[in-house]
């Protein structure tokens, strides 16, 4: 059951991040300048909100989910002993 929950959480983060990237880099195709500006501001604000939400979810789940805990531990180990060829 833990594996299923971890996979679902990971999928949620990937989907939310992907949607945020689409909204951030999406191009507006509106005819009027006013409509273009409103859609541009709304899309970019929605993308930033999604990035913030993904960060909050990751921060919350990284404390309780075993896969995220293992990932954070692996990253910390690499930061403690970096590869000398990459410095």
């Amino acid at each position: 059951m833990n594996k299923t929950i971890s996979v679902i959480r990971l999928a949620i983060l990937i989907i939310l991040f992907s949607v945020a990237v689409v909204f951030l880099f999406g191009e507006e195709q509106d005819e009027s300048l006013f409509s273009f500006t409103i859609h541009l501001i709304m899309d970019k604000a929605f993308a930033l909100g999604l990035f913030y939400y993904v960060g909050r979810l990751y921060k919350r789940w990284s404390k309780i989910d075993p896969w995220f805990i293992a990932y954070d531990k692996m990253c910390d180990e690499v930061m403690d002993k970096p590869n000398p060829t990459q410095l």
Side-chain angles (χ1 to χ4, degrees), residues 1 5 7-9 11-12 15 21 24-25 27-28 33 36 38 42-44 47 53 65 76 78 82-83 86:
M1 190 65 168
I5 292 172
V7 169
I8 290 171
R9 286 179 177 160
I12 288 171
I15 290 169
V21 168
L24 185 64
F25 294 118
E27 184 178 342
E28 304 301 324
L33 181 62
F36 172 81
I38 293 297
M42 294 289 285
D43 287 352
K44 304 315 176 202
Y53 190 61
D65 193 277
D76 291 340
V78 169
N83 187 349
Q86 301 297 321

Side-chain angles (χ1 to χ4, degrees), residues 18-67:
S18 299
V19 170
V21 168
V22 167
F23 274 105
L24 185 64
F25 294 118
E27 184 178 342
E28 304 301 324
Q29 299 292 327
D30 294 322
E31 294 293 326
S32 69
L33 181 62
F34 178 75
S35 179
F36 172 81
T37 307
I38 293 297
H39 284 145
L40 182 74
I41 292 171
M42 294 289 285
D43 287 352
K44 304 315 176 202
F46 187 64
L48 292 177
L50 278 174
F51 283 131
Y52 176 75
Y53 190 61
V54 166
R56 296 265 319 219
L57 281 176
Y58 181 79
K59 188 175 181 180
R60 180 178 181 185
W61 287 342
S62 67
K63 296 176 184 171
I64 59 173
D65 193 277
W67 282 17

